[in-house]
Amino acid sequence: MSRPRAKLTGNFPGCPVESALSFLDGKWKGVILYHLINEGTLRFNELRRHIPSVTQRMLTKQLRELEEAGLISRTVFPVVPPRVDYALTPLGETMRPVISALKSWGDAHVVCKNGAKYTQLPQAPEKAA
């Protein structure tokens, strides 16, 4: 079985695109970054509300990997019940244009209709006669 790209970071042949993508590998990492960019600091359950289809286990795993990569910070407050906040680090802030570009492309080319998702070219404006 092949190893996930995120585990091979040290073995890349020098491709910066592949290296950069290794930090976004995972179904939810880009979505997590998107919500942290748009909302600012969020607590764990706030992230879960923003991403209802992610499991608690998977969200925890993806957050740990983003933290390990240095893209987000995790702040634990010594209160009962426990409170944990997640925020972008300065390095994570540098992902803002990347996530913004992905959102723009999705807005222009992805259609979600009746539970189906597909891509399309943007409609060309009609020329006046």
Side-chain angles (χ1 to χ4, degrees):
M1 176 172 15
S2 65
R3 292 177 23 199
R5 193 174 14 210
K7 303 292 184 198
L8 301 174
T9 309
N11 300 323
F12 288 131
C15 175
V17 172
E18 190 172 12
S19 297
L21 284 174
S22 72
F23 295 102
L24 291 177
D25 252 0
K27 185 174 183 178
W28 303 108
K29 288 181 186 174
V31 177
I32 292 166
L33 290 172
Y34 170 78
H35 288 297
L36 290 174
I37 286 168
N38 284 331
E39 305 288 329
T41 301
L42 291 171
R43 294 172 73 171
F44 184 86
N45 282 329
E46 290 173 320
L47 278 167
R48 285 222 39 212
R49 281 191 287 278
H50 283 294
I51 316 168
S53 52
V54 68
T55 64
Q56 182 171 340
R57 180 175 182 253
M58 181 55 69
L59 180 58
T60 299
K61 180 180 184 289
Q62 301 278 274
L63 287 166
R64 284 182 183 152
E65 289 176 11
L66 286 167
E67 184 183 10
E68 186 179 308
L71 297 175
I72 65 169
S73 64
R74 178 179 188 262
T75 306
V76 180
F77 295 91
V79 295
V80 176
R83 175 180 164 201
V84 179
D85 285 352
Y86 294 92
L88 292 174
T89 62
L91 180 62
E93 281 289 341
T94 66
M95 293 296 284
R96 187 178 292 273
V98 175
I99 300 299
S100 177
L102 287 169
K103 181 190 181 308
S104 295
W105 188 90
D107 288 342
H109 300 287
V110 178
V111 176
C112 297
K113 194 181 248 182
N114 300 327
K117 176 175 61 177
Y118 57 92
T119 57
Q120 69 179 15
L121 287 173
Q123 299 292 327
E126 294 185 25
K127 293 182 182 179

